[in-house]
Amino acid sequence: MLNRLLHALSDRIDLPEEKREKIRQLYHSDRVNFTESLVTSGVLEEETLLEIIGSIYSIPTTRRIFQGNLSLTNSLIECGFTENVSIHFLKKYCMVPVVREDSSLFIALNNPCDLSPADDIASLLNRFGFNPCEYELVLAPRGEIMSAINNLYHQTTESARQLVENMEENGTTIIKAIEETSDLLDDTSDAPVIRLVNHMISQSVKANASDIHVEPFQDTIKIRYRIDGILYDLLEPPKWIQSALISRIKVMADMNIAEKRTPQDGRLEVRMGQQKIDIRVSTVPTSFGERLVMRLLNKSGTLLELSQSGISPAHLAVFNRLITLNNGIVLVTGPTGSGKTTTLYAALSTINSPDKNIITIEDPVEYNLKGIGQIQVNRKIDMTFAKGLRSIVRQDPDVILVGEIRDLETAEIAIQSALTGHLVFSTLHTNDSPGAVTRLVDLGVEPYLITSSVKAIAAQRLVRVLCPHCKSGYMPDEAERFLINGGDQTLCNGKIGAVADSQSGDLLNLNKKEIFRPKGCSHCFGTGYTGRQAIFEIMEIDDVIKNIILTTSDANQIKKAAMGQGMSTLRQEGISKVLEGITSMEEVVRVTQD
């Protein structure tokens, strides 16, 4: 096989002698992991290697058969395959059986140097109604096979309720500090509490949850997770589990399990297949025991670009212009969990270049951005936003990100930085863009400093996106038509009228316009929604707005003037997404309540 591989490689790519020698060494040192070694060592790209190996062994690749999609492992769950084959066996040989819609059986593998494990898998499948002689081999990238294996076994693990029911009915088990395995799906511990915690985390990651809540009450304990901003019940185990469950999570997060009277914070990192999950843990004492919340951050996920957030083309053009200014302050406002930090990270990633010195001070640092200096707030050593910002301005920055303006001192330093030639990004907790001006004045900032330094204020919300598999259309009722037509808000320059009828120039005839509502299916875990998009309200501080701010800090007057200048509100932007079939009217009303 080695000589044929070298010959095939020579025909396709330039192969100097040093590369040939490296390939020989890797082949003789470990044939089982030969293909993986070639890829990880940088000798060859995996896609090229698989095509060449496939031509040698006459084995097609998944690109040709499945277009690289191995999610069809779901069709094997019912046959009980996972109960008879260890996940470690499949991972060791990097193989997984897959079934296409036409019930044809394939065994995907990464390295055909040893085919005996594939025969063993085929023999086992014989007892589940598959003919062991009627399967085909297919070559797939290692990462896709591992993801398929994890998907197959993850969906057949015990349910959380079964785990609870299988526990002994007492809560006196001592939780020992057992070192966590690198992959939750590889953890074969028999301890029920450990399996329950692993299941809670893996289920939440699969559902793209952002938080897991463990909430104790007088006679029970409730476990909930937050998906797309909404809390859903996951499990209600019996009260006696509480102590063992909380202790297990605290052990994983390297927290003091003996101290239950004061709040604690901890951190841990787990892996699920190819995904790395960073988890921040917080506990607080309550009347019925410790309340625990885990914030999940998938570090394997790529940071969204501004254009991928759902922002409208008009607002994207404005945002791209604002983030390339040489100086001034750009504020993003909204409640906790509205995506402010993600938007600012996307902005920094857009303008990040070798000729710019970008420094941030955050609490906490959510993502590590390559090429950007990031400072963590630490109140224990008096490293506050204000103190950190004072140090940053002496580091010759071009762009500064302040995680949040919370006090007058931070606001004043940010303003002085903007006035002395720096571009400053920051966030505020206000309901809308005009409210940010009122908030700054309440902090003690002089209006003339606001008008001379703040370039724009963007308010942001996240609306859930309707599941494309189950959303149902209907004709809006009178109340919904009232809201779509502007309700008690004056339409600004026909912003929502962008969907106006081209012949009459009026708003689209809503008697003929269908909008959508959530229904719920297996693809969206019965919620009716999958994922979220951002809606924005951007108020640029032009001369008209400046004159208003200098005379009054009343948010209503500022808002009226801004709408007169063409600003579309959060409600109007949300309704535009309703008319596009992206979200529902109920969702827009929920997130844009005044």
Side-chain angles (χ1 to χ4, degrees):
M1 184 269 186
L2 177 61
N3 291 332
R4 295 177 64 187
L5 175 64
L6 292 172
H7 182 73
L9 285 172
S10 300
D11 291 341
R12 178 170 294 201
I13 62 175
D14 181 32
L15 198 65
E17 184 57 36
E18 56 268 23
K19 271 196 175 183
R20 287 173 174 268
E21 184 59 33
K22 181 69 173 177
I23 293 172
R24 291 190 188 99
Q25 291 176 3
L26 293 173
Y27 180 79
H28 292 300
S29 62
D30 188 358
R31 294 191 184 187
V32 174
N33 300 308
F34 176 52
T35 56
E36 181 187 8
S37 301
L38 283 176
V39 175
T40 55
S41 63
V43 175
L44 290 171
E45 291 186 359
E46 188 172 21
E47 185 178 315
T48 303
L49 178 62
L50 291 178
E51 289 289 344
I52 293 174
I53 292 178
S55 65
I56 293 173
Y57 283 89
S58 299
I59 300 175
T61 63
T62 51
R63 169 177 284 190
R64 194 182 311 167
I65 303 297
F66 301 115
Q67 288 75 47
N69 179 16
L70 293 180
S71 62
L72 296 175
T73 49
N74 295 348
S75 60
L76 281 180
I77 291 176
E78 294 180 0
C79 73
F81 174 77
T82 56
E83 298 175 6
N84 294 271
V85 180
S86 166
I87 187 173
H88 305 289
F89 175 83
L90 296 183
K91 285 191 172 184
K92 177 181 178 180
Y93 294 104
C94 198
M95 296 181 181
V96 65
V98 293
V99 178
R100 233 169 22 180
E101 290 94 335
D102 58 3
S103 298
S104 54
L105 175 64
F106 292 82
I107 295 180
L109 68 162
N110 185 251
N111 180 14
C113 291
D114 185 3
L115 297 178
S116 56
D119 293 332
D120 294 338
I121 292 174
S123 299
L124 285 170
L125 288 169
N126 181 41
R127 71 180 67 173
F128 302 120
F130 292 95
N131 189 333
C133 299
E134 295 182 0
Y135 75 91
E136 296 183 42
L137 296 174
V138 59
L139 289 174
R142 185 178 185 83
E144 290 183 4
I145 292 177
M146 289 302 181
S147 295
I149 294 171
N150 288 336
N151 185 49
L152 177 63
Y153 281 79
H154 177 66
Q155 294 195 29
T156 57
T157 53
E158 294 174 279
S159 70
R161 201 168 302 279
Q162 288 174 323
L163 287 169
V164 172
E165 291 173 355
N166 291 336
M167 291 182 182
E168 296 179 5
E169 295 194 1
N170 69 80
T172 60
T173 304
I174 299 175
I175 304 299
K176 297 181 180 179
I178 303 172
E179 186 174 344
E180 185 67 11
T181 58
S182 58
D183 190 333
L184 288 184
L185 292 172
D186 285 341
D187 192 343
T188 57
S189 171
D190 291 329
V193 172
I194 294 178
R195 298 208 310 274
L196 176 60
V197 172
N198 289 351
H199 182 86
M200 285 166 46
I201 296 174
S202 60
Q203 278 293 101
S204 300
V205 171
K206 182 184 175 184
N208 292 320
S210 59
D211 303 86
I212 304 173
H213 292 233
V214 181
E215 304 169 352
F217 298 99
Q218 184 171 3
D219 300 317
T220 186
I221 178 171
K222 180 178 289 187
I223 298 173
R224 301 193 290 173
Y225 53 5
R226 189 180 296 276
I227 304 174
D228 293 336
I230 304 296
L231 278 171
Y232 298 94
D233 288 342
L234 176 63
L235 182 67
E236 285 193 32
K239 182 69 174 178
W240 57 262
I241 291 179
Q242 179 180 324
S243 178
L245 181 63
I246 298 292
S247 295
R248 171 59 187 166
I249 298 171
K250 290 172 74 173
V251 165
M252 294 171 66
D254 197 23
M255 299 162 70
N256 185 357
I257 63 172
E259 181 55 74
K260 302 180 180 181
R261 300 165 299 174
T262 61
Q264 291 189 62
D265 293 306
R267 199 164 192 152
L268 65 128
E269 184 178 290
V270 297
R271 271 204 311 117
M272 279 190 60
Q274 303 299 312
Q275 300 182 78
K276 289 185 178 180
I277 313 299
D278 189 62
I279 303 176
R280 294 202 308 271
V281 182
S282 172
T283 64
V284 293
T286 69
S287 301
F288 304 114
E290 287 183 285
R291 194 178 197 274
L292 184 144
V293 175
M294 293 185 280
R295 169 64 59 90
L296 279 60
L297 178 65
N298 193 334
K299 298 173 72 173
S300 304
T302 56
L303 194 61
L304 285 178
E305 297 179 2
L306 280 172
S307 58
Q308 298 174 313
S309 66
I311 187 172
S312 65
H315 281 161
L316 179 61
V318 173
F319 226 108
N320 284 332
R321 174 167 49 81
L322 291 172
I323 64 178
T324 54
L325 295 174
N326 291 325
N327 58 75
I329 297 178
V330 177
L331 293 173
V332 180
T333 73
T336 301
S338 60
K340 303 185 297 297
T341 302
T342 301
T343 295
L344 290 178
Y345 275 175
L348 291 183
S349 298
T350 301
I351 64 175
N352 187 19
S353 61
D355 62 331
K356 281 188 171 67
N357 181 21
I358 304 175
I359 305 178
T360 76
I361 179 163
E362 308 168 59
D363 182 23
V365 174
E366 298 278 1
Y367 293 91
N368 293 319
L369 302 176
K370 187 176 181 180
I372 294 176
Q374 296 173 271
I375 301 171
Q376 170 79 51
V377 167
N378 189 342
R379 291 176 182 80
K380 293 180 180 178
I381 57 173
D382 197 31
M383 172 58 80
T384 62
F385 279 114
K387 188 172 182 179
L389 188 51
R390 287 187 186 277
S391 301
I392 287 175
V393 296
R394 294 192 288 269
Q395 291 284 313
D396 186 32
D398 298 299
V399 181
I400 301 171
L401 168 63
V402 184
E404 183 183 348
I405 294 178
R406 296 177 178 174
D407 51 50
L408 177 60
E409 185 180 8
T410 305
E412 288 179 336
I413 301 171
I415 289 171
Q416 291 302 319
S417 301
L419 293 176
T420 53
H422 304 94
L423 179 60
V424 180
F425 296 114
S426 191
T427 69
L428 275 175
H429 287 287
T430 61
N431 289 329
D432 56 11
S433 301
V437 176
T438 306
R439 173 65 175 151
L440 289 173
V441 173
D442 288 343
L443 287 176
V445 180
E446 294 293 338
Y448 73 89
L449 289 175
I450 298 174
T451 58
S452 58
S453 61
V454 179
K455 300 298 182 182
I457 304 170
Q460 179 176 344
R461 296 291 189 278
L462 294 175
V463 294
R464 291 181 291 170
V465 176
L466 288 165
C467 175
H469 298 93
C470 65
K471 67 179 182 180
S472 60
Y474 70 102
M475 301 308 298
D477 58 26
E478 184 177 350
E480 290 170 326
R481 289 198 298 270
F482 177 73
L483 285 173
I484 291 174
N485 279 286
D488 55 355
Q489 301 184 48
T490 305
L491 283 178
C492 169
N493 297 332
K495 291 289 183 180
I496 299 177
V499 293
D501 183 87
S502 58
Q503 295 181 348
S504 67
D506 297 325
L507 280 175
L508 190 67
N509 185 349
L510 294 173
N511 292 321
K512 299 179 181 180
K513 175 64 178 178
E514 186 181 53
I515 62 177
F516 295 88
R517 60 162 64 103
K519 185 177 180 182
C521 65
S522 59
H523 294 90
C524 57
F525 294 90
T527 65
Y529 298 93
T530 173
R532 288 187 288 182
Q533 284 192 6
I535 54 174
F536 292 88
E537 169 187 287
I538 301 179
M539 183 179 76
E540 294 191 74
I541 311 298
D542 57 17
D543 291 338
V544 173
I545 304 298
K546 286 180 181 179
N547 290 331
I548 298 291
I549 294 174
L550 290 172
T551 56
T552 179
S553 61
D554 181 53
N556 290 326
Q557 294 189 39
I558 297 172
K559 182 176 183 178
K560 185 177 180 180
M563 292 178 68
Q565 293 297 105
M567 182 188 81
S568 57
T569 65
L570 287 166
R571 175 67 60 85
Q572 292 167 359
E573 288 297 310
I575 289 176
S576 295
K577 290 193 180 293
V578 171
L579 297 176
E580 293 171 20
I582 295 173
T583 190
S584 65
M585 184 62 71
E586 295 89 344
E587 181 69 5
V588 170
V589 172
R590 180 183 70 85
V591 302
T592 60
Q593 292 176 355
D594 294 331

